Amino acid sequence: MRVVLLGPPGVGKGTQGRRLAGERGWLLISTGEILRDAAARRTQLGLEAQRQMDRGLLVSDDLMIDLVRERTSEADASWGFVLDGFPRTVPQAEALDGMLAKRSQKLDAVLYLKLNEDELVRRLSGRRECPVCKRAYNIYTSPSRDGVHCNDHPDVELIRRLDDEPETVKRRIKVYQEQTAPLVDYYRRGRMLHEVDGAGRPEAVYDALRAALNGAEH
Ligand code: AMP
């Protein structure tokens, strides 16, 4: 199956996407992860993306569409994939439909994770990660054992992503509302949208997500 995870920053797309892809044997394509990795390696793509990412703004449609066209056409994507963080604009969604149609493929489902803004801000500002293993923590909902260091790397202090700083968080949510939220209607019109409540514990959200996906499969 080919699935899109749609929803605001901080709703849990990364966590849920990783689990879903892992359980089903599908490829997880997280565009934010790919860009952060490219930035860390200082590749051309990474350097181009970094400025926008740090400011909480979107990277250009052309760049993102090329990236996803390439990644979804590789052999490990043929069994199915979960897109986390793409599409983020209507032109990206149209390009995705177009590239799949050219391969006689289509999307099977769009899972829309919803959460109110106060909770999004709380989750994003509490988010921390281990710079070594990338394990995710949250000082409010899932802190590490001592609240400061990684459980698996006791000498390593957890860090906050630059784009999780409070001012940038506000901008990312605004950018989501202006540029990405219109995709809800886009996919609703295509009868592909399945709404999932993103509040509650990750296990409960995952159960709701799986139920929505089962509905889409039958
Ligand atoms: P994420 O990890 O999904 O929150 O993405 C982090 C950042 O990467 C975003 O704030 C954007 O700057 C950039 N990014 C990721 N995916 C896209 C996309 N599909 N279109 C434009 N920018 C993106």
Side-chain angles (χ1 to χ4, degrees):
M1 278 184 102
R2 286 170 285 271
V3 177
V4 163
L5 281 182
L6 182 65
V11 74
K13 298 189 298 296
T15 305
Q16 301 296 339
R18 184 161 298 119
R19 180 158 174 201
L20 180 65
E23 276 188 14
R24 303 287 185 116
W26 299 332
L27 176 69
L28 175 68
I29 303 176
S30 160
T31 47
E33 198 69 41
I34 293 172
L35 295 177
R36 277 188 293 280
D37 184 56
R41 289 187 290 112
R42 305 187 65 75
T43 64
Q44 170 91 26
L45 166 72
L47 295 174
E48 275 181 60
Q50 177 105 59
R51 255 176 71 84
Q52 297 299 93
M53 291 171 73
D54 287 351
R55 292 151 77 207
L57 300 174
L58 295 186
V59 175
S60 80
D61 283 341
D62 287 350
L63 217 146
M64 298 310 301
I65 290 165
D66 283 350
L67 188 153
V68 168
R69 182 183 294 110
E70 257 180 51
R71 194 65 192 91
T72 55
S73 62
E74 285 171 35
D76 56 356
S78 59
W79 175 249
F81 56 73
V82 179
L83 279 170
D84 157 23
F86 184 97
R88 252 182 163 97
T89 63
V90 171
Q92 290 182 14
E94 289 169 346
L96 178 62
D97 286 343
M99 69 179 87
L100 292 176
K102 267 196 188 157
R103 303 176 199 148
S104 304
Q105 296 175 339
K106 62 175 184 54
L107 278 182
D108 296 288
V110 175
L111 302 171
Y112 170 37
L113 286 169
K114 295 199 307 190
L115 193 60
N116 70 57
E117 189 168 329
D118 287 348
E119 182 61 16
L120 287 177
V121 171
R122 200 175 83 97
R123 284 196 194 175
L124 286 167
S125 57
R127 205 152 74 161
R128 300 287 183 277
E129 72 175 21
C130 171
V132 174
C133 66
K134 306 289 176 206
R135 181 166 169 183
Y137 297 91
N138 193 295
I139 56 171
Y140 304 119
T141 55
S142 49
S144 69
R145 268 196 298 274
D146 69 1
V148 178
H149 301 90
C150 177
N151 291 351
D152 302 325
H153 299 91
D155 298 335
V156 179
E157 272 194 34
L158 303 176
I159 55 165
R160 171 143 84 176
R161 264 169 56 175
L162 208 55
D163 60 351
D164 282 343
E165 298 291 338
E167 274 312 301
T168 318
V169 161
K170 276 189 216 142
R171 185 173 306 139
R172 286 166 67 204
I173 292 176
K174 187 161 177 278
V175 165
Y176 170 80
Q177 274 153 359
E178 287 173 1
Q179 303 197 54
T180 309
L183 293 180
V184 172
D185 272 342
Y186 178 90
Y187 286 122
R188 195 174 275 139
R189 279 197 301 275
R191 298 183 178 284
M192 241 180 285
L193 196 79
H194 301 267
E195 298 192 14
V196 177
D197 185 2
R201 302 202 55 80
E203 297 74 33
V205 175
Y206 188 71
D207 287 345
L209 197 133
R210 200 162 40 185
L213 199 59
N214 286 341
E217 277 172 318
H218 299 119

